[in-house]
Amino acid sequence: MIDVDRQTQMVVELDGSVIKCIRDQNGNHVIQKCIECVQEDRIQFIISAFYGQVLSLSTHPYGCRVIQRVLEHCKDMNTRQIIMDEIMQSVYTLAQDQYGNYVIQHVLGHGKPQERSAIISKLAGHIVLMSQQKFASNVVEKCLTFGGPEERQLLVNEILGSTVENEPLQAMMKDPFGNYVVQKVLETCNDRSLELILSRIRVHLSALKRYTYGKHIVSRVEKLITTGGEESL
């Protein structure tokens, strides 16, 4: 509500206490508001306090919110690059963390295409394992939602596996978290992939009915079949 000069007078009193405020359940809201409302050149001391701290802040219940605000409001390319470089060094760790996963999801949903691509390439090769983890599975779903056609295909290929038994897909369909990733694949993949995946799932339909989480896949597949998602079935 106040003018820039008075804002500057207020925020300068936080100098030296930025990290302490971020880790406080009340103080973190003040830091977020500084990032949202005060001109960037007036709060550079706040932003620079994050340098070298991005991993520890991103894995903190309040710090992860502050990092997301920086990514939303920071326009200075050098500053953003410093923050993004630190995130990129720890993508796999952050994706599995109960708070860090929100930072990775934020970049996937709101970041630049090259940032999204870099994250997906760093997570490739770990997709099946991550899909069976509580926090990382949400990140995999975001990769499928926001990834480009080629990136999505890369993930789908990994989920299908390299043998006719489709072991990764089978494991995911029976998993409490993995089954949601498979459902997201069915939602987001192209027609050719959908045809292939449905034909692979069809083989396991009767077995899946015996599993609590497999039933979710069965109902989704049956719905797709009845609505003409795959006429050959």
Side-chain angles (χ1 to χ4, degrees), residues 22 24-25 27 79 95 129 156 186 205 220 230:
I22 291 172
D24 182 84
Q25 65 175 337
T79 302
L129 181 65
V156 168
L186 294 172
L205 273 185
R220 177 63 68 99
E230 182 36 39

Side-chain angles (χ1 to χ4, degrees), residues 21-36:
C21 286
I22 291 172
R23 294 179 181 277
D24 182 84
Q25 65 175 337
N26 305 308
N28 84 88
H29 294 289
V30 177
I31 299 295
Q32 287 185 68
K33 197 58 72 177
C34 289
I35 295 165
E36 289 170 18

Side-chain angles (χ1 to χ4, degrees), residues 161-229:
S162 54
T163 66
V164 290
E165 277 77 35
N166 317 125
E167 292 98 335
L169 181 63
Q170 278 197 69
M172 286 170 64
M173 289 192 294
K174 297 168 190 172
D175 186 81
F177 309 115
N179 84 88
Y180 289 107
V181 175
V182 176
Q183 290 182 60
K184 185 61 73 176
V185 169
L186 294 172
E187 262 176 51
T188 57
C189 67
N190 61 33
D191 290 345
R192 189 173 162 210
S193 291
L194 182 62
E195 190 177 329
L196 178 62
I197 293 164
L198 286 175
S199 69
R200 301 281 181 93
I201 293 175
R202 187 187 180 197
V203 181
H204 306 291
L205 273 185
S206 56
L208 282 172
K209 289 177 181 175
R210 296 199 300 269
Y211 294 91
T212 305
Y213 303 107
K215 288 173 188 169
H216 298 176
I217 302 293
V218 173
S219 63
R220 177 63 68 99
V221 168
E222 286 174 345
K223 195 177 291 182
L224 278 167
I225 294 166
T226 56
T227 56

Side-chain angles (χ1 to χ4, degrees), residues 4 21 28 46 48-49 52 72 83 89 91 124 128 130 138 144 155-156 160 164 187-188 190 194 196 204 214 233:
V4 175
C21 286
N28 84 88
I46 292 179
S48 59
E72 283 170 1
I83 302 291
Q89 285 167 18
V91 170
V128 177
M130 287 174 59
N138 294 314
L144 289 162
L155 303 182
V156 168
L160 285 174
V164 290
E187 262 176 51
T188 57
N190 61 33
L194 182 62
L196 178 62
H204 306 291
L233 294 170

Side-chain angles (χ1 to χ4, degrees), residues 94-105:
L94 290 171
Q96 297 174 84
D97 184 81
Q98 62 178 323
Y99 304 113
N101 80 89
Y102 293 114
V103 173
I104 300 301
Q105 287 190 60

Side-chain angles (χ1 to χ4, degrees), residues 50-111:
F50 304 159
Y51 298 169
Q53 302 286 327
V54 173
L55 176 59
S56 66
L57 291 174
S58 296
T59 53
H60 187 274
Y62 312 138
C64 72
R65 299 175 194 165
V66 174
I67 294 298
Q68 288 174 71
R69 295 300 83 74
V70 174
L71 294 173
E72 283 170 1
H73 296 280
C74 180
K75 300 291 184 286
D76 182 83
M77 297 313 295
N78 289 336
T79 302
R80 184 183 173 85
Q81 195 58 54
I82 291 168
I83 302 291
M84 280 308 307
D85 284 349
E86 290 191 41
I87 290 172
M88 288 300 174
Q89 285 167 18
S90 306
V91 170
Y92 188 50
T93 302
L94 290 171
Q96 297 174 84
D97 184 81
Q98 62 178 323
Y99 304 113
N101 80 89
Y102 293 114
V103 173
I104 300 301
Q105 287 190 60
H106 190 279
V107 178
L108 287 167
H110 305 284

Side-chain angles (χ1 to χ4, degrees), residues 114-127:
Q114 64 266 28
E115 293 168 350
R116 187 173 61 233
S117 297
I119 285 175
I120 292 173
S121 68
K122 283 178 181 288
L123 297 179
H126 306 286
I127 297 301

